[in-house]
Amino acid sequence: MCLFIETICYERGCFQRIELHNERFNRTRQQFFGLQIPLQLELFLSVPADLKDKTVKCTVTYGADIIRIDYNIYQIRPVNSLQMVVDDSIDYAFKYADRTKLNSLFNLRHQSDDILIIKSGLITDTSYANVIFKKDDKWYSPQNPLLKGTQIGRYFREGRVTPALLCPSDLPLFSEARIVNAMISIENSPVIHIENIKDFFRDIYK
């Protein structure tokens, strides 16, 4: 059976962007299982009492029904460098529980902290987050990510981040990169200096 996950941030006593998670959760259930009646995830979520003053990563694993919900204290993993990898066939338009392909690409990172996936000549995502790039005082992010996360979707709607078609040769135009996902905002993301995105200088300037 095909399984999916929904990762929800619990912070400051509430579930962040729960309406966007509900939208993706129910869209996936309809697409793969033909289920028309929407469910509200917040009715199934209950953070343990000893975690209520923490930042908690709530992971919902589901198919046609919710299989399990895990609650874990969250700390941002340091990511200060990226290794570009190319995969023109990868498909992660839905948040699949099976991350075998992503994990295989992650293993190609060499000495870098994470990967930056290039598909059909365009920049997409890291192994677990959307990526944004800063030019002057504006932020840009790939127009066609592998998975459009709830956080980047919110930034697009608010106008804080502009979607754009970005290829590796565009990277010298930017001063820094950051990662965003359900657990990581622009403000608390680690900073990735452009020169720490491996291979692009070698490929562009050789």
Side-chain angles (χ1 to χ4, degrees), residues 92-127:
Y92 200 66
F94 292 87
K95 199 171 175 67
Y96 298 101
D98 184 355
R99 290 177 51 88
T100 301
K101 188 63 176 290
L102 288 170
N103 291 338
S104 295
L105 292 175
F106 181 74
N107 289 335
L108 301 176
R109 69 191 183 282
H110 303 301
Q111 301 301 314
S112 296
D113 298 321
D114 204 341
I115 56 173
L116 183 62
I117 301 169
I118 312 300
K119 180 177 181 180
S120 301
L122 296 174
I123 295 169
T124 61
D125 296 334
T126 71
S127 69

Side-chain angles (χ1 to χ4, degrees), residues 3 7-8 22 24 50 76 128 137 140:
L3 295 179
T7 303
I8 302 160
N22 280 330
R24 183 168 63 188
D50 61 331
I76 296 175
Y128 73 103
D137 291 325
Y140 300 85

Side-chain angles (χ1 to χ4, degrees), residues 10 15 44-54 56 58 71:
Y10 175 87
F15 299 105
F44 299 88
L45 297 170
S46 180
V47 174
D50 61 331
L51 300 181
K52 285 187 177 293
D53 61 342
K54 311 292 185 183
V56 179
C58 311
Y71 302 93

Side-chain angles (χ1 to χ4, degrees), residues 1-5 25 28-30 32-33 35 39 60-68:
M1 179 175 63
C2 192
L3 295 179
F4 303 87
I5 57 174
F25 168 72
T28 302
R29 293 173 68 247
Q30 180 178 357
F32 285 87
F33 307 106
L35 300 172
L39 299 179
V60 180
T61 303
Y62 67 98
D65 300 301
I66 293 175
I67 306 299
R68 70 174 186 273

Side-chain angles (χ1 to χ4, degrees), residues 180-197:
V180 295
N181 63 19
M183 303 300 302
I184 305 173
S185 67
I186 293 176
E187 290 76 18
N188 64 15
S189 167
V191 174
I192 304 166
H193 296 293
I194 294 299
E195 60 267 26
N196 289 334
I197 301 178

Side-chain angles (χ1 to χ4, degrees), residues 73-84:
I73 295 174
Y74 185 76
Q75 290 185 326
I76 296 175
R77 177 166 63 87
V79 176
N80 301 115
S81 59
L82 300 173
Q83 171 70 47
M84 289 198 300

Side-chain angles (χ1 to χ4, degrees), residues 130-133 139 176-180 186-187 189-192:
N130 297 124
V131 61
I132 61 175
F133 299 93
W139 290 101
E176 67 179 67
R178 299 191 185 193
I179 55 175
V180 295
I186 293 176
E187 290 76 18
S189 167
V191 174
I192 304 166

